[in-house]
């Protein structure tokens, strides 16, 4: 998520003020893993709306990588890729990625997802992944995404819904992680169950041809997303302790116990449902 007054300018706010998962090296590393973990779903979503060479696309809340590489592979050469994020460290990491991969016509900006400062109606596809779930008032971010989209263009998002989490057989440490996650994640008004709401938010924002697909995945032993709930709580440790929900000793104990449980190959782990949502900005008549 993005926290400045415009692309690369203006006072910078602490991403912890709005981004439910905070800013830390652990969170940056988790986002890097997530780019690989969710790449197949994101690729399918981009292909569904026909993103192709010559198009202009923006990844809102791109983090250290996001889908910048997936966008570039589809629109370059001839198109344009923009990534925006609030965290200066993530902007630097994403810029290093584009330089290392030699992407042309690609720009990474430090900007606010609620008010990017970018021109209206210039992007064929406006993309966000696990962004609306992390911010209060996601309608404000979505309104900005719609503004950036050209008439006839597409707004696409991949957003989780964490309520249907399954870990079976259950374990007390995993249940405690669920409890801490829910309390800390929602501290600033973020909705951990937003996935199911996104199609409705799209329609309210004036988008048409809204489509949705829900994907449930059971992650096997060895998959990095198997421990996502423990990873998320680890990213929020500072906030959890500041809220008085737990202390360092308990957090270490439940983290170790939960990860040990996840290492049992007979344990079934489905951390969330993933909702893939797409909608078109109406063409000007």
């Amino acid at each position: 998520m993005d926290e400045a007054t415009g692309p690369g300018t203006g006072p910078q706010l602490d991403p912890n003020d709005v981004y439910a998962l905070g800013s830390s090296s652990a969170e940056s590393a988790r986002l890097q893993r997530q780019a690989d973990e969710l790449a197949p779903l994101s690729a399918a979503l981009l292909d569904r709306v026909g993103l192709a060479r010559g198009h202009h696309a923006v990844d809102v809340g791109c983090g250290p990588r996001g889908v910048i590489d997936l966008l570039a592979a589809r629109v370059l050469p001839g198109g344009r890729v923009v990534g925006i994020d609030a965290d200066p460290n993530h902007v630097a990491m994403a810029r290093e990625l584009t330089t290392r991969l030699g992407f042309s016509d690609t720009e990474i900006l430090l900007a606010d997802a609620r008010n990017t400062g970018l021109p209206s109606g210039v992007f064929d596809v406006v993309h966000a992944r696990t962004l609306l779930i992390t911010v209060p008032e996601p309608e404000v971010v979505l309104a900005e995404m719609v503004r950036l989209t050209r008439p006839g263009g597409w707004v696409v998002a991949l957003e989780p819904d964490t309520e249907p989490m399954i870990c079976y057989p259950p374990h007390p440490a995993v249940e405690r992680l669920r409890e801490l996650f829910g309390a800390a994640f929602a501290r600033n008004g973020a909705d951990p169950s937003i996935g199911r709401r996104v199609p409705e938010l799209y329609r309210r924002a004036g988008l048409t041809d809204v489509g949705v697909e829900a994907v449930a995945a059971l992650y096997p032993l060895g998959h990095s997303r198997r421990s996502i709930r423990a990873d998320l709580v680890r990213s929020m440790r500072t906030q959890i302790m500041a809220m008085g929900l737990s202390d360092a000793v308990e957090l270490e104990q439940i983290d170790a116990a939960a990860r040990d449980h996840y290492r049992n190959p007979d344990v079934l782990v489905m951390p969330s449902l993933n909702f893939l949502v797409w909608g078109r900005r109406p063409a000007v008549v």
Side-chain angles (χ1 to χ4, degrees):
M1 203 336 231
D2 320 289
E3 302 311 318
T5 58
T9 63
Q12 299 172 18
L13 304 177
D14 186 343
N16 286 333
D17 289 341
V18 291
Y19 181 57
L21 296 171
S23 179
S24 66
S25 58
E27 176 59 8
S28 296
R30 188 194 68 80
L31 289 171
Q32 292 278 26
R33 293 194 302 274
Q34 178 174 272
D36 288 322
E37 295 165 350
L38 298 181
L41 291 180
S42 295
L45 182 59
L46 295 173
D47 292 341
R48 183 184 290 275
V49 296
L51 184 65
R53 183 162 297 178
H55 284 170
H56 290 198
V58 58
D59 189 13
V60 182
C62 64
R65 178 178 163 192
V67 296
I68 297 299
D69 53 341
L70 300 180
L71 297 179
R74 286 159 175 76
V75 309
L76 302 179
R80 180 190 180 207
V81 175
V82 175
I84 62 174
D85 201 83
D87 190 322
N89 291 327
H90 289 167
V91 169
M93 294 167 75
R95 286 174 177 169
E96 190 279 330
L97 172 74
T98 63
T99 299
R100 174 165 47 84
L101 296 179
F103 291 153
S104 61
D105 297 311
T106 301
E107 189 174 14
I108 309 298
L109 302 173
L110 182 68
D112 187 336
R114 299 161 298 182
N115 180 20
T116 64
L118 292 168
S120 299
V122 297
F123 292 99
D124 298 282
V125 171
V126 177
H127 171 277
R129 183 172 67 190
T130 67
L131 172 64
L132 300 179
I133 191 174
T134 64
V135 296
E137 299 182 328
E139 299 89 347
V140 177
V141 175
L142 182 56
E144 178 69 355
M145 294 173 66
V146 173
R147 185 187 70 80
L148 296 176
T149 309
R150 69 165 177 80
W154 293 93
V155 177
V156 299
L158 189 165
E159 295 293 340
D161 188 320
T162 66
E163 184 180 329
M165 170 190 166
I166 293 173
C167 181
Y168 188 84
H171 190 281
V174 175
E175 291 304 309
R176 180 60 171 151
L177 287 176
R178 183 204 293 264
E179 178 185 351
L180 291 172
F181 170 81
F185 191 89
R187 71 191 184 282
N188 290 338
D191 180 4
S193 299
I194 199 171
R196 69 190 71 181
R197 294 177 49 215
V198 175
E200 178 185 18
L201 293 177
Y202 270 37
R203 289 188 287 269
R204 288 182 178 178
L207 297 174
T208 61
D209 300 323
V210 175
V212 59
E213 179 182 355
V215 179
L218 285 171
Y219 294 108
L221 185 66
H223 196 291
S224 57
R225 206 156 182 86
R226 186 172 171 89
S227 62
I228 182 64
R229 192 58 59 99
D231 296 337
L232 290 170
V233 170
R234 181 177 285 179
S235 290
M236 294 189 291
R237 282 189 175 192
T238 299
Q239 296 92 325
I240 288 169
M241 290 189 288
M243 294 172 69
L245 299 173
S246 184
D247 56 33
V249 173
E250 186 199 19
L251 288 172
E252 287 291 343
Q253 290 174 341
I254 61 174
D255 183 83
R259 292 177 190 277
D260 184 63
H261 188 57
Y262 294 143
R263 282 191 286 269
N264 181 341
D266 296 329
V267 172
L268 302 179
V269 180
M270 188 197 80
S272 65
L273 286 175
N274 287 316
F275 283 80
L276 283 63
V277 189
W278 56 96
R280 189 192 297 270
R281 181 175 180 180
V284 176
V285 179

